[in-house]
């Protein structure tokens, strides 16, 4: 990953790299993804629809599912399905990296308004759904399914920190222990999506408190949100303990030892699980300004890590704080 390569290159000596505890892509794949994520269990998180259904069965709160389009022949019903909804999100069930996610925040007559303020005709949405079904955004280009979800109403605590789109929290969870977190904030450049590669801001979060540590955009440190010009210094994520507990519970729900858990805070529903990722990216280290490897090694060294969720959360808050 180019971002990680530049981060690694910023350390002049191998000793400094080791001290920073940077986890490389090769180490992530060989030492954690392959070792702790049984191959037979991967489909349940690679498919967002399957993940949603699994979470609902486990009693975990998720965004409302408004509809599913599985076949090209079903697109003829799309207009009727969308007629009842002013705002919604359309996403590929097997997409990755935020590709193919269309966020509609309202209507302007017969046109649909995106988070950026641009508008689309129904035919544009029709074509987008058709592209999803054809596998344009899916892993490996396989035929896919289009999910239509209710648009999250972001907790107003984030009003000063995000442009239009809904912020999300990415947490890396290892053996049920939350080990590193960041908040992803939409910008005009990211078209209302909380995707770092498209220009969203990543804010490193202290595991113990949920307070901001530092912020980056396009892997460059920043002090102010590029659109709202609000400082990140006083940012603190509410419902923090509940978020830690939700992420820790994903280990038991999936059986996957190394996970990226994406969550949102809805102003009415509170914390919701958005999706899971069995191969989470490494840019979270840049947002936090430190490597994740020592935290993973500390958990691996534990003689007994099969402890209650509450104890795992307490452990993480004690040993992985950055304050």
């Amino acid at each position: 990953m180019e971002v990680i390569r530049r981060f690694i290159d910023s350390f002049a000596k191998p000793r400094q790299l080791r001290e920073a505890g940077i986890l490389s892509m090769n180490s992530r794949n060989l030492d954690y993804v392959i070792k702790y994520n049984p191959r037979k269990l991967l489909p349940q998180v690679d498919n967002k629809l399957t993940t949603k259904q699994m979470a609902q069965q486990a009693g975990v709160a998720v965004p409302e599912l408004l509809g599913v389009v599985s076949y090209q022949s079903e697109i003829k019903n799309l207009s009727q399905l969308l007629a009842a909804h002013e705002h919604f999100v359309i996403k590929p069930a097997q997409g990755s990296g935020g590709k193919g996610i269309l966020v509609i925040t309202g209507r302007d007559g017969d046109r649909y308004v995106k988070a950026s303020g641009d508008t689309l005709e129904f035919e544009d949405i029709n074509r987008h759904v058709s592209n999803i079904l054809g596998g344009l955004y899916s892993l490996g280009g396989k035929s896919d399914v289009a999910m239509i979800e209710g648009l999250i109403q972001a907790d107003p605590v984030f009003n000063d920190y995000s442009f239009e789109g809904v912020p999300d929290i990415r947490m890396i969870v290892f053996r049920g222990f939350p080990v590193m977190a960041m908040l992803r904030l939409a910008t005009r450049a990211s078209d209302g999506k909380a995707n770092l590669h498209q220009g969203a801001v990543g804010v490193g979060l202290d595991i113990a408190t949920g307070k901001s540590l530092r912020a980056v955009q396009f892997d460059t440190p920043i002090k102010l949100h590029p659109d709202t010009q609000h400082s990140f210094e006083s940012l603190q994520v509410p419902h923090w303990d509940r978020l830690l507990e939700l992420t820790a519970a994903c280990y038991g729900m999936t059986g996957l030892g190394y996970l990226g858990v994406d969550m949102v805070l809805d102003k009415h529903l509170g914390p919701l699980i958005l999706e899971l990722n069995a191969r989470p990216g490494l840019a979270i280290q840049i947002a936090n300004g430190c490597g994740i490897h020592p935290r993973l090694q500390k958990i691996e060294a534990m003689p007994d890590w099969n402890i209650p969720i509450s104890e795992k959360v307490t452990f993480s808050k004690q040993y992985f704080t950055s304050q």
Side-chain angles (χ1 to χ4, degrees), residues 214-259:
R214 68 196 296 264
V216 295
Q217 184 185 35
F218 295 119
D219 65 288
T220 299
I222 58 174
K223 297 292 186 181
L224 307 176
H225 189 282
D227 301 304
T228 70
Q229 295 303 301
H230 201 83
S231 171
F232 297 111
E233 186 175 358
S234 61
L235 189 156
Q236 183 169 8
V237 177
H239 310 291
W240 188 245
D241 283 353
R242 177 58 181 156
L243 288 166
L244 292 174
E245 291 167 358
L246 277 175
T247 57
C250 289
Y251 170 59
M253 186 175 78
T254 64
L256 296 172
Y258 188 77
L259 271 176

Side-chain angles (χ1 to χ4, degrees), residues 52 55-64 242 246 253 262-264 269-275:
K52 180 181 287 289
Q56 289 173 326
Q57 291 173 0
V60 175
V62 293
E64 181 184 7
R242 177 58 181 156
L246 277 175
M253 186 175 78
D262 296 340
M263 299 161 291
V264 291
L269 303 174
L272 302 174
I273 295 290
L274 196 60
E275 62 183 73

